[in-house]
């Protein structure tokens, strides 16, 4: 490799960035560095997480194009946890696109993502920059879950499932303070820029020039006869469904041009399941100020006791079915997400050839198979089809 590092963790002094750096230190990842605005804070975090004393530290400001170009020139991949990305990530995307540098983040901000696609995808293709958004709980388990289900559908039926349902059956843990801040920033951006509203509203907001068939909104509680339970709106569906459709779009529509997909949260059976679904539909986890702020999060015990279980159900026109289940062994917003993005960055740096792969990608479209192998082997995820 021609550059000094495989991965630089940008934002290593923040809550999630610190977890990523700690994980890389624990697994003994080679050729990585920590970056942030303050040398003193970087030194403090390096010591507190038990990283080797010779782990390189790089001072860079997210608003300084010269800092960011220098940063990019030293690494194969920048792993950014500096969000909301629409506030702090634009200059870094531009620097990666110009310097042909790989990039992964935790972005769940579709309006900004579409702006970056429109502004920088052509240049990224020219320079070979592989830019991959949404490498955390939004949207890796869902993106790779659908990819795994379609792999099983083709093996069993000889063709993909035209209708797939994502159903979150269990989830213990919380969303990150960064996720809440990103949602608020997205709503503020839409108020300032009405042109973003169609992007945010459409399941095909990240597939420029392509719009598939009508998709379920997932916004109303309902009884799902295919799983025999009540389901309610799932708060991350807005970004996950866009990324799943973008994967299909970028990969040449292996799920088919008429692919239909939605995500909802399972609440249970009978009247209790119905009541829970109706209550959940009215609940906004991001309202008020009671949730974690950016830079805050749960204790280690809370992170390690968290988990999630997601069912993917593929329905064939002749009545055939295929089911896949994705599970994670930590809370989704922090413990599992920090491992997922770290493995995504290592996969991009070490497993995915860069030649001819420049552009703005999803995890599923660029590195589904090697990333799934890494996640199962080193990040506590499982992908099972039956």
């Amino acid at each position: 490799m021609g550059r000094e590092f495989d991965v630089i963790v940008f934002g290593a002094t923040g809550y999630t960035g610190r977890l990523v750096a700690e994980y890389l230190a624990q697994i003994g990842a080679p050729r990585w560095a920590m970056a942030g605005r303050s040398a003193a804070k970087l030194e403090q975090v390096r010591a507190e997480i038990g990283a080797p004393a010779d782990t390189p530290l790089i001072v860079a400001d997210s608003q300084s194009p010269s800092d960011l170009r220098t940063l990019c020139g030293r690494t194969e991949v920048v792993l950014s946890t500096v969000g909301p990305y629409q506030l702090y990530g634009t200059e870094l995307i531009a620097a990666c696109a110009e310097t042909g540098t790989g990039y992964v983040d935790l972005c769940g901000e579709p309006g900004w993502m579409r702006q970056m696609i429109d502004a920088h995808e052509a240049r990224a293709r020219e320079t070979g920059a592989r830019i991959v958004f949404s490498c955390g709980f939004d949207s890796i388990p869902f993106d790779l879950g659908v990819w795994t289900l379609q792999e099983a559908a083709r093996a069993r039926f000889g063709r993909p499932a035209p209708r797939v349902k994502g159903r979150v059956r269990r989830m213990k843990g919380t969303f990150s303070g960064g996720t809440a801040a990103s949602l608020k920033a997205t709503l503020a951006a839409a108020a300032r820029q009405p042109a973003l509203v169609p992007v945010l509203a459409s399941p095909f907001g990240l597939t420029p020039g392509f719009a598939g068939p009508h998709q379920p909104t997932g916004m109303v509680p309902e009884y799902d006869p295919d799983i025999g339970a009540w389901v309610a709106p799932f708060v991350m569906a807005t970004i996950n469904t866009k990324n799943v459709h973008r994967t299909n779009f970028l990969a040449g529509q292996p799920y088919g041009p008429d692919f239909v997909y939605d995500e909802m949260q399972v609440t249970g059976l009978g009247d209790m399941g119905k009541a829970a679904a109706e209550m959940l539909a009215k609940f906004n986890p991001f309202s008020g100020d009671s949730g974690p702020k950016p830079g805050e999060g749960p204790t280690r015990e809370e992170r390690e006791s968290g988990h999630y279980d997601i069912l993917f159900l593929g329905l064939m026109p002749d009545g055939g079915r295929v089911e896949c289940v994705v599970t994670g062994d930590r809370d989704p917003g922090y413990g599992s997400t920090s491992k997922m993005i770290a493995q995504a960055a290592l996969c991009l740096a070490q497993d995915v050839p860069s030649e001819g792969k420049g552009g703005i990608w999803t995890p599923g479209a660029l590195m589904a198979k090697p990333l799934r192998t890494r996640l199962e082997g080193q990040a506590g995820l499982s992908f099972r089809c039956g």
Side-chain angles (χ1 to χ4, degrees):
M1 301 228 177
R3 301 193 186 186
E4 187 178 355
F5 303 111
D6 279 351
V7 176
I8 292 177
V9 180
F10 186 53
T13 60
Y15 186 92
T16 303
R18 177 186 175 124
L19 293 178
V20 172
E22 183 177 30
Y23 173 73
L24 290 172
Q26 288 174 346
I27 66 173
R31 289 169 41 89
W32 71 283
M34 300 166 58
R37 289 182 296 175
S38 167
K41 288 184 179 179
L42 286 166
E43 291 174 358
Q44 179 182 352
V45 169
R46 180 175 63 182
E48 290 175 349
I49 66 175
D54 61 353
T55 302
L57 307 178
I58 300 167
V59 176
D61 190 302
S62 64
Q63 302 301 311
S64 170
S66 61
D67 281 5
L68 298 176
R69 287 181 68 91
T70 299
L71 179 82
C72 289
R74 299 180 67 182
T75 188
E76 298 293 332
V77 176
V78 177
L79 184 165
S80 177
T81 63
V82 183
Y85 295 95
Q86 59 198 285
L87 301 181
Y88 306 114
T90 299
E91 294 291 349
L92 181 53
I93 294 294
C96 287
E98 284 297 323
T99 58
T101 303
Y103 169 94
V104 297
D105 70 14
L106 299 171
C107 189
E109 305 163 41
W112 179 78
M113 291 161 63
R114 177 57 185 269
Q115 290 175 327
M116 295 300 98
I117 291 166
D118 293 344
H120 299 294
E121 183 161 39
R123 184 58 175 157
R125 288 175 178 167
E126 292 173 357
T127 64
R130 296 160 300 157
I131 294 169
V132 190
F133 297 130
S134 306
C135 292
F137 186 64
D138 49 334
S139 295
I140 281 178
F142 304 90
D143 192 11
L144 268 61
V146 174
W147 185 86
T148 299
L149 180 139
Q150 295 292 23
E151 185 181 54
R154 285 189 292 270
R156 183 175 304 176
F157 299 111
R159 54 180 174 165
R163 175 71 171 104
V164 174
K165 297 182 175 184
R167 298 293 182 258
V168 180
R169 300 192 294 191
R170 287 182 293 278
M171 187 171 65
K172 180 183 178 183
T174 184
F175 299 103
S176 73
T179 296
S182 294
L183 177 61
K184 292 175 182 177
T186 294
L187 295 176
R192 294 192 309 269
Q193 305 172 66
L196 288 177
V197 173
V199 173
L200 299 176
S202 172
F204 300 98
L206 299 180
T207 60
F210 174 77
H214 173 75
Q215 305 287 313
T217 66
M219 298 303 293
V220 179
E222 62 182 50
Y223 179 77
D224 187 340
D226 293 313
I227 64 169
W230 281 86
V231 294
F234 176 53
V235 68
M236 306 310 298
T238 299
I239 179 61
N240 291 335
T241 54
K242 289 177 175 60
N243 278 320
V244 167
H245 284 297
R246 182 163 172 80
T247 290
N248 190 39
F249 171 75
L250 291 173
Q253 297 181 333
Y255 309 161
D258 296 325
F259 174 63
V260 176
Y261 175 69
D262 73 327
E263 291 175 4
M264 299 191 79
Q265 186 166 344
V266 179
T267 58
L269 307 175
D271 291 341
M272 290 185 64
K274 180 181 180 181
E278 292 173 345
M279 181 178 67
L280 191 60
K282 299 174 183 177
F283 174 65
N284 178 2
F286 302 122
S287 64
D289 297 318
S290 59
K293 306 296 187 294
E296 299 177 351
T299 65
R300 181 180 297 275
E301 181 181 4
E302 289 169 332
R303 295 195 305 269
E304 293 182 353
S305 68
H307 55 81
Y308 52 89
D309 176 298
I310 309 161
L311 169 69
F312 295 90
L313 174 62
L315 303 174
M316 307 302 292
D318 60 2
R321 315 167 42 121
V322 59
E323 294 185 6
C324 288
V325 176
V326 177
T327 62
D329 69 345
R330 294 289 187 270
D331 78 295
Y334 298 95
S336 189
T337 277
S338 59
K339 295 191 292 184
M340 280 189 276
I341 191 173
Q343 288 298 334
L346 292 171
C347 184
L348 190 59
Q350 299 174 358
D351 303 339
V352 179
S354 59
E355 186 173 351
K357 296 294 186 180
I360 298 182
W361 294 91
T362 59
L366 182 61
M367 51 184 173
K369 190 171 184 178
L371 180 56
R372 184 180 65 185
T373 298
R374 281 182 170 272
L375 296 175
E376 290 191 304
Q378 302 181 62
L381 274 74
S382 70
F383 297 79
R384 304 186 310 274
C385 292

